Amino acid sequence: MAAIVIDGKAAAARVRAEVAEGVAAFAARYGRAPGLVGIQVGDDPASELYQAGKARAAEEAGMVPRRITLPDSTGQAELDALIDELNADDAVDGMLVQLPVPDQLSEPLIANRIHPDKDVDGFSPVNLGRLMRGEPGNVPCTPQGVMRMLRDAEVPLVGAHAVVVGRSLIVGKPQSMLLLAEHCTVTVAHSRTRDLPSLCRTADILVAAVGRPEMIRGDWVKPGAAVMDVGINRTDDGLRGDVAYAECAEVAGWITPVPGGVGPMTIAYLLANTLDAAHRRAGATT
Ligand code: GUN
């Protein structure tokens, strides 16, 4: 039987509609809309697209977006000064620095500099620590999107074996924590995992977040499994996920396409995080 295709565009539209309602209520109560600032260093075309998409989505949800683009040569001290200014700006509820950043900048210094309450990417040590502790905080957007898709599709989670392929700070690590919190048995696999195909075949839920086009083959998938493809790889043949879609769709119970799968959920949850951050800040000052 062919897999159920989980439509990420539709799921993201639902999340964005929920956020837009929440933004309207927030604005009615506090007399201002949540503010989201996206910082980009340099002119990488992919970053440009992501930043534009995030700002457009924030505006559509009724938020106040602001885009700041700094020259490629920007130093850490200059970026730190900007972050400090935005940390102190009451109109700013969330900010993010688009990754990757040029070599002279340090991603850990950036993650440590952004105030945890405004860190809507959820990459700061404080927010990642909260996630590990199970405390409320800003949770990375893409893994939240994957969880929402699993929940909406009613994929059984309790006791399921989830294999997360990829151990990045942005997806793999936080994804494993979220699956664990839902009572999955979680295995985190990576480039040095032995016999990855056999391991993947034991997964009830397989999350692919490695950045290698079509690495997950049809015969790596357990019949009926949920295959969640986080990969966005630009190839000569166009945009490809980490999953060989056609092959895997024949075996899986559920599958997310690329494009139109997990991708749109990332921006949706950035908006959700920004609204939550605005509420937390407003609640703290009233
Ligand atoms: N680059 C790729 N994904 C992300 C993301 O989720 N946030 C930021 N800031 N940069 C990214």
Short mmCIF file of all heavy atoms in Angstrom, two decimals, residues 32 34-37 66 85-87 89-95 118 281:
data_model
loop_
_atom_site.label_atom_id
_atom_site.label_comp_id
_atom_site.label_asym_id
_atom_site.label_seq_id
_atom_site.Cartn_x
_atom_site.Cartn_y
_atom_site.Cartn_z
N ARG A 32 0.27 46.54 20.62
CA ARG A 32 1.38 46.45 19.65
C ARG A 32 1.45 45.01 19.16
O ARG A 32 0.98 44.09 19.83
CB ARG A 32 2.71 46.85 20.28
CG ARG A 32 3.19 45.86 21.32
CD ARG A 32 4.57 46.19 21.87
NE ARG A 32 5.05 45.08 22.71
CZ ARG A 32 5.75 44.04 22.27
NH1 ARG A 32 6.11 43.97 20.99
NH2 ARG A 32 6.12 43.08 23.06
N PRO A 34 3.73 41.66 17.86
CA PRO A 34 5.06 41.10 18.13
C PRO A 34 6.06 41.48 17.03
O PRO A 34 5.72 41.51 15.85
CB PRO A 34 4.82 39.58 18.12
CG PRO A 34 3.36 39.42 18.41
CD PRO A 34 2.70 40.61 17.78
N GLY A 35 7.29 41.77 17.44
CA GLY A 35 8.34 42.17 16.49
C GLY A 35 9.38 41.07 16.32
O GLY A 35 9.82 40.48 17.29
N LEU A 36 9.71 40.79 15.07
CA LEU A 36 10.70 39.76 14.74
C LEU A 36 11.80 40.36 13.86
O LEU A 36 11.51 40.93 12.81
CB LEU A 36 10.02 38.61 13.98
CG LEU A 36 10.94 37.52 13.40
CD1 LEU A 36 11.68 36.76 14.51
CD2 LEU A 36 10.14 36.55 12.53
N VAL A 37 13.04 40.23 14.29
CA VAL A 37 14.16 40.77 13.52
C VAL A 37 15.01 39.62 12.96
O VAL A 37 15.43 38.73 13.71
CB VAL A 37 15.06 41.67 14.40
CG1 VAL A 37 16.22 42.22 13.58
CG2 VAL A 37 14.25 42.80 15.00
N ARG A 66 11.44 42.90 10.72
CA ARG A 66 12.51 43.82 10.36
C ARG A 66 13.67 42.98 9.85
O ARG A 66 14.02 41.96 10.47
CB ARG A 66 12.92 44.59 11.61
CG ARG A 66 13.80 45.77 11.33
CD ARG A 66 13.88 46.62 12.62
NE ARG A 66 15.21 47.13 12.81
CZ ARG A 66 15.72 47.49 13.99
NH1 ARG A 66 15.02 47.34 15.10
NH2 ARG A 66 16.94 47.96 14.06
N GLU A 85 21.88 45.77 21.23
CA GLU A 85 20.88 46.83 21.00
C GLU A 85 19.48 46.21 20.86
O GLU A 85 18.51 46.70 21.44
CB GLU A 85 21.28 47.52 19.69
CG GLU A 85 20.64 48.86 19.41
CD GLU A 85 21.10 49.32 18.02
OE1 GLU A 85 22.33 49.47 17.82
OE2 GLU A 85 20.24 49.48 17.16
N LEU A 86 19.40 45.11 20.11
CA LEU A 86 18.10 44.46 19.91
C LEU A 86 17.62 43.77 21.19
O LEU A 86 16.43 43.73 21.48
CB LEU A 86 18.18 43.47 18.75
CG LEU A 86 18.49 44.10 17.39
CD1 LEU A 86 18.81 43.02 16.35
CD2 LEU A 86 17.34 44.97 16.90
N ASN A 87 18.57 43.24 21.98
CA ASN A 87 18.20 42.65 23.27
C ASN A 87 17.49 43.68 24.16
O ASN A 87 16.58 43.35 24.92
CB ASN A 87 19.44 42.15 24.02
CG ASN A 87 19.92 40.79 23.54
OD1 ASN A 87 19.14 40.02 22.97
ND2 ASN A 87 21.19 40.48 23.78
N ASP A 89 15.83 46.35 23.07
CA ASP A 89 14.75 47.05 22.36
C ASP A 89 13.40 46.39 22.69
O ASP A 89 13.16 45.23 22.34
CB ASP A 89 15.04 46.98 20.85
CG ASP A 89 14.05 47.79 20.04
OD1 ASP A 89 12.93 48.07 20.54
OD2 ASP A 89 14.38 48.13 18.89
N ASP A 90 12.52 47.14 23.35
CA ASP A 90 11.24 46.58 23.79
C ASP A 90 10.31 46.19 22.65
O ASP A 90 9.37 45.41 22.86
CB ASP A 90 10.53 47.57 24.72
CG ASP A 90 10.87 47.30 26.16
OD1 ASP A 90 11.32 46.16 26.45
OD2 ASP A 90 10.70 48.21 27.00
N ALA A 91 10.54 46.74 21.47
CA ALA A 91 9.69 46.39 20.32
C ALA A 91 10.09 45.05 19.69
O ALA A 91 9.39 44.53 18.83
CB ALA A 91 9.74 47.50 19.27
N VAL A 92 11.22 44.52 20.12
CA VAL A 92 11.74 43.28 19.53
C VAL A 92 11.44 42.10 20.47
O VAL A 92 11.93 42.06 21.60
CB VAL A 92 13.26 43.37 19.29
CG1 VAL A 92 13.81 42.04 18.77
CG2 VAL A 92 13.57 44.50 18.32
N ASP A 93 10.62 41.17 19.98
CA ASP A 93 10.31 39.98 20.78
C ASP A 93 11.18 38.79 20.40
O ASP A 93 11.46 37.94 21.24
CB ASP A 93 8.83 39.61 20.59
CG ASP A 93 7.94 40.70 21.12
OD1 ASP A 93 7.88 40.85 22.35
OD2 ASP A 93 7.34 41.44 20.31
N GLY A 94 11.55 38.74 19.12
CA GLY A 94 12.38 37.62 18.66
C GLY A 94 13.41 38.10 17.67
O GLY A 94 13.17 39.07 16.93
N MET A 95 14.57 37.46 17.70
CA MET A 95 15.58 37.76 16.67
C MET A 95 16.31 36.48 16.32
O MET A 95 16.36 35.52 17.10
CB MET A 95 16.56 38.83 17.15
CG MET A 95 17.55 38.35 18.15
SD MET A 95 18.81 39.58 18.51
CE MET A 95 18.29 40.13 20.12
N LYS A 118 14.58 36.04 23.70
CA LYS A 118 14.39 36.53 22.32
C LYS A 118 14.96 35.57 21.28
O LYS A 118 14.87 35.83 20.09
CB LYS A 118 15.01 37.92 22.16
CG LYS A 118 14.37 38.98 23.06
CD LYS A 118 14.80 40.39 22.68
CE LYS A 118 14.09 41.41 23.58
NZ LYS A 118 14.28 42.79 23.10
N ARG A 281 7.35 37.76 27.37
CA ARG A 281 7.91 39.07 27.72
C ARG A 281 6.82 39.99 28.27
O ARG A 281 7.02 40.69 29.25
CB ARG A 281 8.60 39.70 26.52
CG ARG A 281 9.88 38.98 26.13
CD ARG A 281 10.64 39.71 25.05
NE ARG A 281 10.97 41.05 25.44
CZ ARG A 281 10.49 42.16 24.86
NH1 ARG A 281 9.64 42.08 23.86
NH2 ARG A 281 10.84 43.33 25.29
#
